[in-house]
Amino acid sequence: HANVEEIIFVDGTKTIESYAIENCPRLKRVYVPEGTEMAKDALYNVPSNVEIIRGSVSGITHVKM
């Protein structure tokens, strides 16, 4: 996770569990849909100035893996 700078959770994400994001030393922004619950320790070992942006700002509605 050394090069990750942004993480986007798509609309419809209901919960972000503990330690969902960890060990990302370059993380700058996390996009979280409005209404998504986020555990207080969902972000672990990331920079203290990570910006959490709430709302449907990504425009991404579906991810296929």
Side-chain angles (χ1 to χ4, degrees):
H1 304 44
N3 295 316
V4 173
E5 293 185 4
E6 291 187 342
I7 295 176
I8 300 170
F9 287 93
V10 297
D11 290 338
T13 302
K14 296 185 187 301
T15 305
I16 302 172
E17 301 286 341
S18 297
Y19 306 103
I21 302 169
E22 62 179 321
N23 300 321
C24 297
R26 293 186 182 177
L27 189 63
K28 295 179 182 173
R29 277 174 229 84
V30 179
Y31 295 90
V32 179
E34 201 66 51
T36 299
E37 292 189 27
M38 198 168 166
K40 67 177 180 177
D41 54 358
L43 303 177
Y44 180 76
N45 200 22
V46 298
S48 61
N49 62 343
V50 168
E51 182 179 11
I52 298 174
I53 301 169
R54 289 271 186 180
S56 185
V57 297
S58 69
I60 297 172
T61 58
H62 180 75
V63 175
K64 184 175 179 180
M65 299 183 96

Tab-separated table of all heavy atoms in Angstrom:
chain	number	residue	atom	x	y	z
A	1	HIS	N	0.809	-1.186	0.000
A	1	HIS	CA	0.000	0.000	0.000
A	1	HIS	C	0.858	1.258	0.000
A	1	HIS	O	0.375	2.338	0.278
A	1	HIS	CB	-0.897	0.016	1.203
A	1	HIS	CG	-1.769	-1.194	1.344
A	1	HIS	ND1	-1.364	-2.476	1.157
A	1	HIS	CD2	-3.065	-1.288	1.671
A	1	HIS	CE1	-2.355	-3.306	1.369
A	1	HIS	NE2	-3.409	-2.614	1.685
A	2	ALA	N	2.105	1.123	-0.293
A	2	ALA	CA	3.052	2.226	-0.160
A	2	ALA	C	2.751	3.404	-1.084
A	2	ALA	O	3.118	4.528	-0.766
A	2	ALA	CB	4.464	1.723	-0.408
A	3	ASN	N	2.094	3.184	-2.209
A	3	ASN	CA	1.876	4.266	-3.169
A	3	ASN	C	0.439	4.765	-3.244
A	3	ASN	O	0.138	5.641	-4.041
A	3	ASN	CB	2.330	3.819	-4.558
A	3	ASN	CG	3.826	3.588	-4.586
A	3	ASN	OD1	4.591	4.380	-4.060
A	3	ASN	ND2	4.247	2.486	-5.175
A	4	VAL	N	-0.451	4.213	-2.448
A	4	VAL	CA	-1.862	4.606	-2.477
A	4	VAL	C	-2.021	6.022	-1.918
A	4	VAL	O	-1.567	6.314	-0.822
A	4	VAL	CB	-2.726	3.618	-1.667
A	4	VAL	CG1	-4.160	4.115	-1.559
A	4	VAL	CG2	-2.677	2.236	-2.280
A	5	GLU	N	-2.672	6.897	-2.702
A	5	GLU	CA	-2.912	8.267	-2.263
A	5	GLU	C	-4.384	8.568	-2.043
A	5	GLU	O	-4.726	9.448	-1.265
A	5	GLU	CB	-2.329	9.256	-3.276
A	5	GLU	CG	-0.825	9.212	-3.328
A	5	GLU	CD	-0.232	10.270	-4.235
A	5	GLU	OE1	-0.975	11.107	-4.784
A	5	GLU	OE2	0.998	10.260	-4.402
A	6	GLU	N	-5.275	7.858	-2.752
A	6	GLU	CA	-6.713	8.065	-2.613
A	6	GLU	C	-7.424	6.725	-2.591
A	6	GLU	O	-7.034	5.804	-3.305
A	6	GLU	CB	-7.281	8.874	-3.775
A	6	GLU	CG	-6.845	10.305	-3.809
A	6	GLU	CD	-7.571	11.104	-4.882
A	6	GLU	OE1	-8.158	10.511	-5.808
A	6	GLU	OE2	-7.553	12.323	-4.765
A	7	ILE	N	-8.473	6.659	-1.788
A	7	ILE	CA	-9.337	5.479	-1.753
A	7	ILE	C	-10.762	5.967	-1.878
A	7	ILE	O	-11.159	6.939	-1.217
A	7	ILE	CB	-9.148	4.674	-0.455
A	7	ILE	CG1	-7.726	4.109	-0.415
A	7	ILE	CG2	-10.184	3.555	-0.350
A	7	ILE	CD1	-7.377	3.379	0.854
A	8	ILE	N	-11.537	5.305	-2.747
A	8	ILE	CA	-12.919	5.694	-2.981
A	8	ILE	C	-13.820	4.516	-2.646
A	8	ILE	O	-13.675	3.436	-3.212
A	8	ILE	CB	-13.132	6.102	-4.462
A	8	ILE	CG1	-12.230	7.277	-4.822
A	8	ILE	CG2	-14.595	6.427	-4.718
A	8	ILE	CD1	-12.183	7.594	-6.294
A	9	PHE	N	-14.744	4.743	-1.721
A	9	PHE	CA	-15.777	3.761	-1.425
A	9	PHE	C	-17.002	4.156	-2.234
A	9	PHE	O	-17.444	5.302	-2.188
A	9	PHE	CB	-16.099	3.744	0.068
A	9	PHE	CG	-15.009	3.114	0.894
A	9	PHE	CD1	-14.011	3.900	1.452
A	9	PHE	CD2	-14.973	1.753	1.092
A	9	PHE	CE1	-12.996	3.328	2.209
A	9	PHE	CE2	-13.961	1.166	1.850
A	9	PHE	CZ	-12.973	1.955	2.404
A	10	VAL	N	-17.559	3.211	-2.978
A	10	VAL	CA	-18.677	3.517	-3.870
A	10	VAL	C	-19.973	3.685	-3.089
A	10	VAL	O	-20.120	3.191	-1.966
A	10	VAL	CB	-18.858	2.430	-4.953
A	10	VAL	CG1	-17.641	2.366	-5.845
A	10	VAL	CG2	-19.167	1.080	-4.353
A	11	ASP	N	-20.920	4.390	-3.699
A	11	ASP	CA	-22.253	4.532	-3.120
A	11	ASP	C	-22.819	3.143	-2.856
A	11	ASP	O	-22.615	2.223	-3.645
A	11	ASP	CB	-23.178	5.292	-4.068
A	11	ASP	CG	-22.808	6.762	-4.172
A	11	ASP	OD1	-22.147	7.277	-3.247
A	11	ASP	OD2	-23.171	7.399	-5.169
A	12	GLY	N	-23.505	3.004	-1.753
A	12	GLY	CA	-24.063	1.710	-1.374
A	12	GLY	C	-23.240	1.008	-0.318
A	12	GLY	O	-23.683	0.031	0.275
A	13	THR	N	-22.012	1.500	-0.081
A	13	THR	CA	-21.192	0.946	0.990
A	13	THR	C	-21.867	1.300	2.308
A	13	THR	O	-22.104	2.467	2.586
A	13	THR	CB	-19.763	1.520	0.955
A	13	THR	OG1	-19.169	1.230	-0.315
A	13	THR	CG2	-18.907	0.943	2.070
A	14	LYS	N	-22.173	0.280	3.107
A	14	LYS	CA	-22.906	0.521	4.346
A	14	LYS	C	-21.985	0.720	5.541
A	14	LYS	O	-22.238	1.565	6.380
A	14	LYS	CB	-23.863	-0.628	4.615
A	14	LYS	CG	-24.945	-0.759	3.554
A	14	LYS	CD	-25.946	-1.818	3.913
A	14	LYS	CE	-26.920	-2.098	2.819
A	14	LYS	NZ	-27.718	-1.059	2.342
A	15	THR	N	-20.902	-0.054	5.616
A	15	THR	CA	-20.017	-0.008	6.781
A	15	THR	C	-18.569	-0.160	6.344
A	15	THR	O	-18.269	-0.964	5.467
A	15	THR	CB	-20.356	-1.159	7.757
A	15	THR	OG1	-21.735	-1.095	8.094
A	15	THR	CG2	-19.528	-1.077	9.014
A	16	ILE	N	-17.694	0.596	6.977
A	16	ILE	CA	-16.250	0.432	6.793
A	16	ILE	C	-15.737	-0.070	8.136
A	16	ILE	O	-15.776	0.639	9.133
A	16	ILE	CB	-15.576	1.745	6.360
A	16	ILE	CG1	-16.212	2.236	5.051
A	16	ILE	CG2	-14.073	1.534	6.187
A	16	ILE	CD1	-15.777	3.612	4.621
A	17	GLU	N	-15.289	-1.302	8.154
A	17	GLU	CA	-14.916	-1.999	9.383
A	17	GLU	C	-13.555	-1.545	9.922
A	17	GLU	O	-12.784	-0.892	9.213
A	17	GLU	CB	-14.876	-3.508	9.129
A	17	GLU	CG	-16.185	-4.099	8.653
A	17	GLU	CD	-17.221	-4.216	9.748
A	17	GLU	OE1	-16.860	-4.185	10.941
A	17	GLU	OE2	-18.410	-4.332	9.408
A	18	SER	N	-13.261	-1.964	11.137
A	18	SER	CA	-11.963	-1.698	11.774
A	18	SER	C	-10.824	-2.199	10.894
A	18	SER	O	-10.918	-3.280	10.314
A	18	SER	CB	-11.890	-2.405	13.125
A	18	SER	OG	-12.875	-1.909	13.998
A	19	TYR	N	-9.790	-1.405	10.782
A	19	TYR	CA	-8.569	-1.722	10.040
A	19	TYR	C	-8.815	-1.984	8.548
A	19	TYR	O	-8.044	-2.673	7.900
A	19	TYR	CB	-7.827	-2.907	10.680
A	19	TYR	CG	-7.559	-2.692	12.140
A	19	TYR	CD1	-8.327	-3.316	13.111
A	19	TYR	CD2	-6.566	-1.816	12.556
A	19	TYR	CE1	-8.106	-3.101	14.458
A	19	TYR	CE2	-6.333	-1.578	13.905
A	19	TYR	CZ	-7.104	-2.227	14.849
A	19	TYR	OH	-6.883	-1.997	16.174
A	20	ALA	N	-9.887	-1.419	8.012
A	20	ALA	CA	-10.180	-1.585	6.585
A	20	ALA	C	-9.070	-0.978	5.732
A	20	ALA	O	-8.746	-1.477	4.665
A	20	ALA	CB	-11.520	-0.950	6.244
A	21	ILE	N	-8.493	0.112	6.229
A	21	ILE	CA	-7.391	0.780	5.524
A	21	ILE	C	-6.235	0.873	6.504
A	21	ILE	O	-6.354	1.490	7.554
A	21	ILE	CB	-7.799	2.192	5.066
A	21	ILE	CG1	-9.020	2.130	4.151
A	21	ILE	CG2	-6.627	2.885	4.374
A	21	ILE	CD1	-9.638	3.475	3.874
A	22	GLU	N	-5.131	0.242	6.161
A	22	GLU	CA	-3.983	0.309	7.063
A	22	GLU	C	-2.671	0.319	6.291
A	22	GLU	O	-2.589	-0.165	5.177
A	22	GLU	CB	-4.010	-0.846	8.072
A	22	GLU	CG	-3.929	-2.227	7.460
A	22	GLU	CD	-3.943	-3.322	8.510
A	22	GLU	OE1	-3.322	-3.158	9.565
A	22	GLU	OE2	-4.582	-4.349	8.265
A	23	ASN	N	-1.681	0.904	6.927
A	23	ASN	CA	-0.321	0.957	6.386
A	23	ASN	C	-0.249	1.595	5.003
A	23	ASN	O	0.308	1.035	4.073
A	23	ASN	CB	0.296	-0.448	6.360
A	23	ASN	CG	0.369	-1.059	7.738
A	23	ASN	OD1	0.659	-0.372	8.712
A	23	ASN	ND2	0.083	-2.335	7.837
A	24	CYS	N	-0.815	2.776	4.892
A	24	CYS	CA	-0.766	3.552	3.650
A	24	CYS	C	-0.072	4.884	3.957
A	24	CYS	O	-0.738	5.896	4.226
A	24	CYS	CB	-2.171	3.790	3.111
A	24	CYS	SG	-3.064	2.307	2.660
A	25	PRO	N	1.245	4.924	3.911
A	25	PRO	CA	1.986	6.112	4.337
A	25	PRO	C	1.782	7.350	3.461
A	25	PRO	O	2.040	8.461	3.911
A	25	PRO	CB	3.441	5.660	4.309
A	25	PRO	CG	3.476	4.519	3.351
A	25	PRO	CD	2.142	3.846	3.473
A	26	ARG	N	1.300	7.184	2.238
A	26	ARG	CA	1.095	8.329	1.336
A	26	ARG	C	-0.368	8.709	1.156
A	26	ARG	O	-0.695	9.567	0.339
A	26	ARG	CB	1.705	8.032	-0.028
A	26	ARG	CG	3.206	7.922	0.010
A	26	ARG	CD	3.759	7.768	-1.362
A	26	ARG	NE	5.212	7.617	-1.294
A	26	ARG	CZ	5.973	7.401	-2.315
A	26	ARG	NH1	5.447	7.293	-3.518
A	26	ARG	NH2	7.265	7.278	-2.166
A	27	LEU	N	-1.249	8.075	1.920
A	27	LEU	CA	-2.677	8.329	1.775
A	27	LEU	C	-2.999	9.791	2.061
A	27	LEU	O	-2.551	10.351	3.055
A	27	LEU	CB	-3.471	7.419	2.722
A	27	LEU	CG	-4.978	7.417	2.535
A	27	LEU	CD1	-5.361	6.894	1.149
A	27	LEU	CD2	-5.640	6.580	3.617
A	28	LYS	N	-3.769	10.399	1.151
A	28	LYS	CA	-4.143	11.805	1.287
A	28	LYS	C	-5.646	11.985	1.462
A	28	LYS	O	-6.080	12.853	2.202
A	28	LYS	CB	-3.690	12.600	0.059
A	28	LYS	CG	-2.188	12.667	-0.085
A	28	LYS	CD	-1.790	13.438	-1.317
A	28	LYS	CE	-0.268	13.435	-1.437
A	28	LYS	NZ	0.173	14.028	-2.680
A	29	ARG	N	-6.464	11.169	0.737
A	29	ARG	CA	-7.908	11.354	0.742
A	29	ARG	C	-8.628	10.020	0.739
A	29	ARG	O	-8.214	9.084	0.080
A	29	ARG	CB	-8.359	12.108	-0.516
A	29	ARG	CG	-8.237	13.586	-0.426
A	29	ARG	CD	-8.570	14.248	-1.764
A	29	ARG	NE	-7.519	15.196	-2.083
A	29	ARG	CZ	-6.363	14.932	-2.679
A	29	ARG	NH1	-6.090	13.747	-3.079
A	29	ARG	NH2	-5.478	15.867	-2.888
A	30	VAL	N	-9.756	10.000	1.474
A	30	VAL	CA	-10.656	8.854	1.461
A	30	VAL	C	-12.053	9.396	1.202
A	30	VAL	O	-12.528	10.268	1.918
A	30	VAL	CB	-10.629	8.086	2.806
A	30	VAL	CG1	-11.603	6.920	2.767
A	30	VAL	CG2	-9.221	7.587	3.127
A	31	TYR	N	-12.680	8.909	0.133
A	31	TYR	CA	-14.032	9.323	-0.226
A	31	TYR	C	-15.014	8.307	0.351
A	31	TYR	O	-14.911	7.113	0.071
A	31	TYR	CB	-14.191	9.393	-1.748
A	31	TYR	CG	-13.334	10.454	-2.385
A	31	TYR	CD1	-12.045	10.172	-2.819
A	31	TYR	CD2	-13.817	11.746	-2.554
A	31	TYR	CE1	-11.249	11.146	-3.403
A	31	TYR	CE2	-13.037	12.734	-3.139
A	31	TYR	CZ	-11.758	12.424	-3.563
A	31	TYR	OH	-10.973	13.391	-4.139
A	32	VAL	N	-15.945	8.777	1.169
A	32	VAL	CA	-16.897	7.917	1.870
A	32	VAL	C	-18.306	8.413	1.572
A	32	VAL	O	-18.606	9.591	1.799
A	32	VAL	CB	-16.635	7.950	3.396
A	32	VAL	CG1	-17.628	7.076	4.125
A	32	VAL	CG2	-15.206	7.529	3.711
A	33	PRO	N	-19.192	7.538	1.079
A	33	PRO	CA	-20.563	7.966	0.798
A	33	PRO	C	-21.269	8.457	2.059
A	33	PRO	O	-21.021	7.949	3.160
A	33	PRO	CB	-21.244	6.694	0.280
A	33	PRO	CG	-20.133	5.825	-0.195
A	33	PRO	CD	-18.969	6.136	0.690
A	34	GLU	N	-22.149	9.417	1.881
A	34	GLU	CA	-22.968	9.921	2.983
A	34	GLU	C	-23.775	8.757	3.543
A	34	GLU	O	-24.287	7.945	2.796
A	34	GLU	CB	-23.904	11.021	2.460
A	34	GLU	CG	-24.410	11.939	3.522
A	34	GLU	CD	-23.313	12.780	4.152
A	34	GLU	OE1	-22.542	13.409	3.427
A	34	GLU	OE2	-23.239	12.784	5.385
A	35	GLY	N	-23.840	8.664	4.856
A	35	GLY	CA	-24.614	7.611	5.505
A	35	GLY	C	-23.831	6.339	5.778
A	35	GLY	O	-24.319	5.439	6.448
A	36	THR	N	-22.624	6.233	5.252
A	36	THR	CA	-21.795	5.055	5.512
A	36	THR	C	-21.217	5.151	6.913
A	36	THR	O	-20.657	6.183	7.287
A	36	THR	CB	-20.635	4.959	4.492
A	36	THR	OG1	-21.189	4.835	3.183
A	36	THR	CG2	-19.734	3.777	4.770
A	37	GLU	N	-21.375	4.082	7.681
A	37	GLU	CA	-20.801	4.048	9.023
A	37	GLU	C	-19.339	3.637	8.917
A	37	GLU	O	-18.980	2.767	8.132
A	37	GLU	CB	-21.571	3.071	9.905
A	37	GLU	CG	-22.968	3.548	10.202
A	37	GLU	CD	-23.657	2.694	11.238
A	37	GLU	OE1	-22.972	2.085	12.081
A	37	GLU	OE2	-24.886	2.643	11.184
A	38	MET	N	-18.518	4.277	9.727
A	38	MET	CA	-17.082	4.036	9.675
A	38	MET	C	-16.587	3.781	11.094
A	38	MET	O	-16.773	4.625	11.983
A	38	MET	CB	-16.401	5.272	9.079
A	38	MET	CG	-15.035	5.065	8.576
A	38	MET	SD	-14.554	6.525	7.611
A	38	MET	CE	-12.829	6.236	7.498
A	39	ALA	N	-15.988	2.614	11.323
A	39	ALA	CA	-15.446	2.301	12.637
A	39	ALA	C	-14.384	3.325	12.997
A	39	ALA	O	-13.675	3.837	12.121
A	39	ALA	CB	-14.845	0.897	12.646
A	40	LYS	N	-14.266	3.640	14.295
A	40	LYS	CA	-13.313	4.679	14.700
A	40	LYS	C	-11.875	4.300	14.380
A	40	LYS	O	-11.033	5.160	14.203
A	40	LYS	CB	-13.468	5.010	16.176
A	40	LYS	CG	-13.072	3.901	17.114
A	40	LYS	CD	-13.194	4.341	18.548
A	40	LYS	CE	-12.787	3.221	19.481
A	40	LYS	NZ	-12.817	3.617	20.865
A	41	ASP	N	-11.592	3.003	14.257
A	41	ASP	CA	-10.247	2.560	13.895
A	41	ASP	C	-10.201	1.959	12.489
A	41	ASP	O	-9.398	1.092	12.192
A	41	ASP	CB	-9.702	1.577	14.936
A	41	ASP	CG	-10.636	0.398	15.185
A	41	ASP	OD1	-11.733	0.361	14.580
A	41	ASP	OD2	-10.276	-0.484	15.970
A	42	ALA	N	-11.064	2.455	11.604
A	42	ALA	CA	-11.077	1.983	10.222
A	42	ALA	C	-9.789	2.380	9.494
A	42	ALA	O	-9.332	1.676	8.600
A	42	ALA	CB	-12.278	2.541	9.476
A	43	LEU	N	-9.211	3.514	9.894
A	43	LEU	CA	-7.941	3.965	9.326
A	43	LEU	C	-6.854	3.719	10.361
A	43	LEU	O	-6.909	4.259	11.465
A	43	LEU	CB	-7.992	5.456	8.997
A	43	LEU	CG	-9.088	5.917	8.042
A	43	LEU	CD1	-9.048	7.423	7.894
A	43	LEU	CD2	-8.970	5.242	6.706
A	44	TYR	N	-5.875	2.922	9.994
A	44	TYR	CA	-4.821	2.562	10.945
A	44	TYR	C	-3.453	2.721	10.286
A	44	TYR	O	-3.243	2.261	9.165
A	44	TYR	CB	-5.012	1.115	11.413
A	44	TYR	CG	-3.965	0.661	12.387
A	44	TYR	CD1	-4.003	1.073	13.710
A	44	TYR	CD2	-2.936	-0.156	11.976
A	44	TYR	CE1	-3.037	0.667	14.611
A	44	TYR	CE2	-1.949	-0.573	12.863
A	44	TYR	CZ	-2.012	-0.162	14.175
A	44	TYR	OH	-1.041	-0.558	15.065
A	45	ASN	N	-2.589	3.382	10.985
A	45	ASN	CA	-1.222	3.592	10.505
A	45	ASN	C	-1.203	4.306	9.149
A	45	ASN	O	-0.567	3.869	8.197
A	45	ASN	CB	-0.457	2.270	10.441
A	45	ASN	CG	1.054	2.501	10.418
A	45	ASN	OD1	1.543	3.540	10.845
A	45	ASN	ND2	1.784	1.532	9.916
A	46	VAL	N	-1.941	5.412	9.103
A	46	VAL	CA	-1.961	6.296	7.938
A	46	VAL	C	-1.614	7.696	8.449
A	46	VAL	O	-1.676	7.950	9.647
A	46	VAL	CB	-3.344	6.286	7.237
A	46	VAL	CG1	-3.680	4.901	6.727
A	46	VAL	CG2	-4.435	6.816	8.135
A	47	PRO	N	-1.250	8.627	7.584
A	47	PRO	CA	-0.925	9.985	8.039
A	47	PRO	C	-2.091	10.620	8.809
A	47	PRO	O	-3.259	10.402	8.489
A	47	PRO	CB	-0.652	10.741	6.736
A	47	PRO	CG	-0.237	9.686	5.769
A	47	PRO	CD	-1.038	8.467	6.138
A	48	SER	N	-1.768	11.390	9.797
A	48	SER	CA	-2.795	12.015	10.646
A	48	SER	C	-3.602	13.086	9.911
A	48	SER	O	-4.686	13.453	10.353
A	48	SER	CB	-2.155	12.627	11.888
A	48	SER	OG	-1.223	13.623	11.517
A	49	ASN	N	-3.101	13.566	8.791
A	49	ASN	CA	-3.804	14.623	8.062
A	49	ASN	C	-4.620	14.092	6.877
A	49	ASN	O	-4.965	14.841	5.973
A	49	ASN	CB	-2.818	15.688	7.588
A	49	ASN	CG	-1.790	15.145	6.617
A	49	ASN	OD1	-1.583	13.936	6.512
A	49	ASN	ND2	-1.135	16.036	5.905
A	50	VAL	N	-4.965	12.810	6.886
A	50	VAL	CA	-5.790	12.245	5.819
A	50	VAL	C	-7.137	12.965	5.803
A	50	VAL	O	-7.771	13.142	6.838
A	50	VAL	CB	-5.998	10.725	6.028
A	50	VAL	CG1	-7.077	10.192	5.104
A	50	VAL	CG2	-4.716	9.975	5.786
A	51	GLU	N	-7.554	13.371	4.618
A	51	GLU	CA	-8.823	14.075	4.445
A	51	GLU	C	-9.919	13.050	4.153
A	51	GLU	O	-9.787	12.241	3.236
A	51	GLU	CB	-8.694	15.059	3.284
A	51	GLU	CG	-9.898	15.882	3.026
A	51	GLU	CD	-9.699	16.852	1.871
A	51	GLU	OE1	-8.698	16.744	1.142
A	51	GLU	OE2	-10.567	17.724	1.716
A	52	ILE	N	-10.983	13.063	4.940
A	52	ILE	CA	-12.127	12.192	4.700
A	52	ILE	C	-13.220	13.049	4.087
A	52	ILE	O	-13.690	14.005	4.704
A	52	ILE	CB	-12.609	11.525	5.999
A	52	ILE	CG1	-11.493	10.645	6.555
A	52	ILE	CG2	-13.877	10.714	5.732
A	52	ILE	CD1	-11.781	10.038	7.895
A	53	ILE	N	-13.592	12.712	2.866
A	53	ILE	CA	-14.578	13.488	2.118
A	53	ILE	C	-15.871	12.690	2.067
A	53	ILE	O	-15.900	11.577	1.548
A	53	ILE	CB	-14.060	13.802	0.696
A	53	ILE	CG1	-12.757	14.596	0.805
A	53	ILE	CG2	-15.122	14.550	-0.106
A	53	ILE	CD1	-12.003	14.746	-0.486
A	54	ARG	N	-16.927	13.252	2.645
A	54	ARG	CA	-18.235	12.597	2.710
A	54	ARG	C	-19.120	13.073	1.575
A	54	ARG	O	-19.111	14.235	1.208
A	54	ARG	CB	-18.924	12.928	4.036
A	54	ARG	CG	-18.294	12.269	5.215
A	54	ARG	CD	-18.932	10.947	5.419
A	54	ARG	NE	-18.455	10.326	6.652
A	54	ARG	CZ	-18.867	9.158	7.039
A	54	ARG	NH1	-19.761	8.502	6.337
A	54	ARG	NH2	-18.400	8.619	8.135
A	55	GLY	N	-19.890	12.145	1.015
A	55	GLY	CA	-20.840	12.491	-0.033
A	55	GLY	C	-20.580	11.675	-1.270
A	55	GLY	O	-19.611	10.923	-1.367
A	56	SER	N	-21.440	11.798	-2.225
A	56	SER	CA	-21.321	11.072	-3.484
A	56	SER	C	-20.540	11.926	-4.469
A	56	SER	O	-21.094	12.476	-5.403
A	56	SER	CB	-22.709	10.744	-4.032
A	56	SER	OG	-22.592	9.954	-5.178
A	57	VAL	N	-19.246	12.039	-4.237
A	57	VAL	CA	-18.422	12.924	-5.058
A	57	VAL	C	-17.650	12.191	-6.138
A	57	VAL	O	-17.097	12.805	-7.029
A	57	VAL	CB	-17.422	13.719	-4.182
A	57	VAL	CG1	-18.164	14.623	-3.230
A	57	VAL	CG2	-16.515	12.789	-3.415
A	58	SER	N	-17.614	10.882	-6.068
A	58	SER	CA	-16.769	10.136	-6.990
A	58	SER	C	-17.385	9.943	-8.357
A	58	SER	O	-16.684	9.829	-9.341
A	58	SER	CB	-16.431	8.764	-6.395
A	58	SER	OG	-17.592	7.963	-6.353
A	59	GLY	N	-18.715	9.848	-8.425
A	59	GLY	CA	-19.365	9.545	-9.679
A	59	GLY	C	-19.297	8.060	-10.027
A	59	GLY	O	-19.843	7.614	-11.027
A	60	ILE	N	-18.642	7.276	-9.198
A	60	ILE	CA	-18.519	5.839	-9.424
A	60	ILE	C	-19.723	5.163	-8.778
A	60	ILE	O	-19.996	5.343	-7.602
A	60	ILE	CB	-17.214	5.292	-8.816
A	60	ILE	CG1	-16.016	5.925	-9.517
A	60	ILE	CG2	-17.165	3.779	-8.937
A	60	ILE	CD1	-14.690	5.592	-8.871
A	61	THR	N	-20.471	4.395	-9.559
A	61	THR	CA	-21.650	3.741	-9.009
A	61	THR	C	-21.522	2.231	-8.988
A	61	THR	O	-22.321	1.554	-8.351
A	61	THR	CB	-22.898	4.121	-9.819
A	61	THR	OG1	-22.686	3.753	-11.194
A	61	THR	CG2	-23.171	5.621	-9.739
A	62	HIS	N	-20.543	1.663	-9.680
A	62	HIS	CA	-20.411	0.217	-9.737
A	62	HIS	C	-18.951	-0.153	-9.965
A	62	HIS	O	-18.282	0.450	-10.803
A	62	HIS	CB	-21.272	-0.352	-10.869
A	62	HIS	CG	-21.195	-1.825	-10.978
A	62	HIS	ND1	-21.822	-2.671	-10.095
A	62	HIS	CD2	-20.552	-2.614	-11.855
A	62	HIS	CE1	-21.569	-3.922	-10.432
A	62	HIS	NE2	-20.809	-3.911	-11.504
A	63	VAL	N	-18.487	-1.130	-9.224
A	63	VAL	CA	-17.127	-1.633	-9.412
A	63	VAL	C	-17.217	-3.128	-9.649
A	63	VAL	O	-17.862	-3.850	-8.887
A	63	VAL	CB	-16.244	-1.357	-8.175
A	63	VAL	CG1	-14.881	-1.999	-8.340
A	63	VAL	CG2	-16.100	0.124	-7.942
A	64	LYS	N	-16.600	-3.607	-10.700
A	64	LYS	CA	-16.576	-5.039	-11.013
A	64	LYS	C	-15.158	-5.536	-10.825
A	64	LYS	O	-14.217	-4.924	-11.293
A	64	LYS	CB	-17.032	-5.259	-12.453
A	64	LYS	CG	-17.137	-6.704	-12.833
A	64	LYS	CD	-17.702	-6.845	-14.223
A	64	LYS	CE	-17.782	-8.314	-14.591
A	64	LYS	NZ	-18.325	-8.478	-15.944
A	65	MET	N	-15.038	-6.627	-10.104
A	65	MET	CA	-13.705	-7.175	-9.840
A	65	MET	C	-13.564	-8.529	-10.467
A	65	MET	O	-14.465	-9.263	-10.648
A	65	MET	CB	-13.458	-7.256	-8.340
A	65	MET	CG	-13.528	-5.897	-7.699
A	65	MET	SD	-13.154	-5.946	-5.963
A	65	MET	CE	-11.437	-5.523	-6.021
